[in-house]
Amino acid sequence: VGCACGVASAFGSAIGGVLFMIEEALSFWKQRLFFRATFAATVNIAVIVFLLSKLRTRHRHFGHLKFEGMAVFDELDLRDFSTVLLLLCVVVGAAVGLWGAAFVEANKRLTLLRARVFGRASRPRAAKLAEVALVVLGTSLSAYLPAVLFDWCRPLDRPEPSGADDAYARRYDCRDGEYNELATLTLNSLSRAIASLFHQSSLHTFSPAALAYFFVYASVWTCVTYGVNVPSGLFIPSILCGAAFGRLFAVLALPILFPDDTMTNLGVHAQSLALAGGIAGLAATTRMTVSIATIFASTILDGNHLVPILVACLASKLAGDLFNEGLYDLHIHLNGYRYMEDEPPPALFAAKRLDRAAAWTTNIECFMARDVVSVAANDAPYADLLDALHASPHDAFPVVDRRDDDDDDPDRRGGAFLG
């Protein structure tokens, strides 16, 4: 329930929060839990919208509600789309999915390296604090220095219109009537950077060099930051990386595919591909589909592009699943959390010399332990409990009601199961 409320309040989507709970956090289905999560997420959204109604607007009366969450990318209305756009969404989604597989693998190796380094450190807390300081310093320098050392200034107006909107563009060190295209991405807040990638309609707003640098910058530091001992998110940085790639793809590919400028008539826009890249980036790291598509549609307040969003999302997940699992599942395994997966791990089938097709016809006794270490409920000495804990590689022992006549019955040998 808390998971659903947290996602709902962050993105202003009660339905998206409940779907996220079902798709990622729920290990079993229960109608009562579903109702409680829906009720709690709805109340959560109502409270958040009521409180923000005065904080975010000075011209409306307190209590005049506007439906939005903590993270919004402003309203986006692209209206129509075409089959060509759907095909391009598949390409962008699959490419971002491959990026996501490489991202997950890199984060896995980095997490294992962190465990080895901090395990050997004489002062692990100081080492973790030093790592956080280095990450902050590296992120700041790589954001500020390129914007200062190189010329990223571009005109806002004619004679060569860039289409940049003053609401998102940052002047930084440029002259009047100009904006710094790299600073617009690196020195804005993450939400504003995403909004600038989604809302700038012109292909000339960002150069390929700025988009390529920003994509590498965001990918590297997102991978490094996820796992550092600070509260850090995955949703917004993943959307940012994917949106940068989608925009870069649009800048490079659309002039080649549509040299006669017919892409607008086909409903193909740079904004659409940035949108597809954003949802594909989130699907590539989390490997979720329905919940993040619903959340994504609510952040841009555009239901017209739900189909392209789903197409890019599914293409990204399918491409990433060919190589590894999602980042959430990876860290569950790396941290050793006791969480039962939807399907048995491949190593279990390999140990039993079975294939996955045989799982539907295999009896459960093939996977059950023969010599079970149990604990008697009526007479269990403390020394026996300690011996069981030290001798067994697991920490779950069945509690049984052991009786003298159980040895004569093979089905009840060891006692009747209590819990």
Side-chain angles (χ1 to χ4, degrees):
V1 176
C3 172
C5 291
V7 174
S9 61
F11 297 98
S13 175
I15 299 176
V18 175
L19 290 176
F20 180 86
M21 177 199 73
I22 296 173
E23 193 170 4
E24 181 63 25
L26 201 64
S27 59
F28 65 95
W29 174 263
K30 197 173 183 179
Q31 188 70 26
R32 182 181 300 177
L33 179 62
F34 176 75
F35 171 77
R36 290 176 177 175
T38 305
F39 180 81
T42 304
V43 174
N44 180 281
I45 286 293
V47 173
I48 289 291
V49 171
F50 181 78
L51 294 178
L52 292 180
S53 62
K54 187 62 177 177
L55 296 178
R56 282 188 169 175
T57 56
R58 299 181 179 179
H59 304 291
R60 290 201 302 262
H61 297 290
F62 184 73
H64 188 167
L65 307 183
K66 181 181 180 181
F67 183 74
E68 58 183 21
M70 299 285 191
V72 290
F73 309 136
D74 296 338
E75 186 174 358
L76 188 63
D77 185 13
L78 297 176
R79 298 181 183 176
D80 56 349
F81 60 90
S82 65
T83 306
V84 177
L85 177 61
L86 296 181
L87 294 176
L88 292 176
C89 287
V90 172
V91 175
V92 172
V96 175
L98 297 178
W99 163 84
F103 182 93
V104 172
E105 181 63 26
N107 187 265
K108 175 183 177 180
R109 299 190 179 189
L110 185 60
T111 302
L112 295 175
L113 178 62
R114 280 195 182 104
R116 289 196 298 269
V117 171
F118 293 147
R120 298 173 183 173
S122 58
R123 300 179 63 184
R125 291 186 177 180
K128 293 177 181 179
L129 182 61
E131 183 194 21
V132 172
L134 289 175
V135 169
V136 172
L137 179 63
T139 305
S140 302
L141 291 178
S142 56
Y144 277 93
L145 288 182
V148 174
L149 298 179
F150 302 97
D151 183 17
W152 300 99
C153 296
R154 299 171 69 87
L156 278 170
D157 301 316
R158 298 182 182 278
E160 184 183 359
S162 62
D165 189 348
D166 292 335
Y168 305 104
R170 292 182 67 93
R171 178 184 171 189
Y172 198 47
D173 58 343
C174 299
R175 297 185 295 269
D176 291 339
E178 295 182 339
Y179 72 101
N180 190 309
E181 57 174 335
L182 187 61
T184 300
L185 297 174
T186 59
L187 301 183
N188 258 329
S189 65
L190 298 185
S191 297
R192 300 301 292 174
I194 294 174
S196 66
L197 292 171
F198 286 170
H199 286 270
Q200 306 293 356
S201 59
S202 174
L203 286 175
H204 307 290
T205 303
F206 301 105
S207 65
L211 291 171
Y213 175 81
F214 182 69
F215 172 68
V216 174
Y217 157 82
S219 300
V220 169
W221 287 114
T222 300
C223 182
V224 172
T225 305
Y226 195 82
V228 175
N229 284 269
V230 294
S232 59
L234 182 64
F235 267 62
I236 301 298
S238 297
I239 296 174
L240 189 60
C241 294
F245 180 86
R247 190 88 189 192
L248 178 61
F249 178 85
V251 171
L252 295 177
L254 292 187
I256 299 175
L257 297 176
F258 306 98
D260 53 352
D261 199 23
T262 59
M263 59 181 185
T264 303
N265 298 330
L266 295 174
V268 179
H269 312 275
Q271 304 150 281
S272 302
L273 295 181
L275 194 67
I279 186 64
L282 187 54
T285 54
T286 63
R287 306 296 164 83
M288 293 185 293
T289 53
V290 177
S291 60
I292 60 174
T294 305
I295 293 170
F296 203 73
S298 67
T299 58
I300 60 175
L301 304 177
D302 179 23
N304 297 330
H305 271 58
L306 187 59
V307 174
I309 286 174
L310 282 171
V311 168
C313 181
L314 292 173
S316 177
K317 174 178 169 55
L318 291 175
D321 285 343
L322 294 175
F323 298 93
N324 48 31
E325 58 187 352
L327 204 58
Y328 290 150
D329 297 325
L330 170 67
H331 279 265
I332 287 175
H333 297 153
L334 291 179
N335 291 315
Y337 296 143
R338 306 288 182 177
Y339 186 82
M340 181 175 291
E341 300 289 345
D342 297 333
E343 296 182 1
L348 185 59
F349 286 95
K352 299 296 182 180
R353 298 181 179 179
L354 298 170
D355 55 8
R356 289 193 174 273
W360 301 100
T361 59
T362 302
N363 294 328
I364 192 62
E365 62 182 10
C366 295
F367 301 98
M368 296 176 65
R370 301 288 183 181
D371 301 324
V372 180
V373 180
S374 59
V375 176
N378 43 7
D379 54 347
Y382 179 70
D384 292 347
L385 296 178
L386 287 180
D387 292 339
L389 290 173
H390 289 302
S392 302
H394 56 84
D395 54 1
F397 304 94
V399 179
V400 298
D401 183 13
R402 189 168 299 161
R403 300 175 183 175
D404 295 337
D405 56 350
D406 287 340
D407 294 335
D408 299 332
D409 187 355
D411 294 334
R412 293 175 58 88
R413 190 167 296 163
F417 179 74
L418 298 179

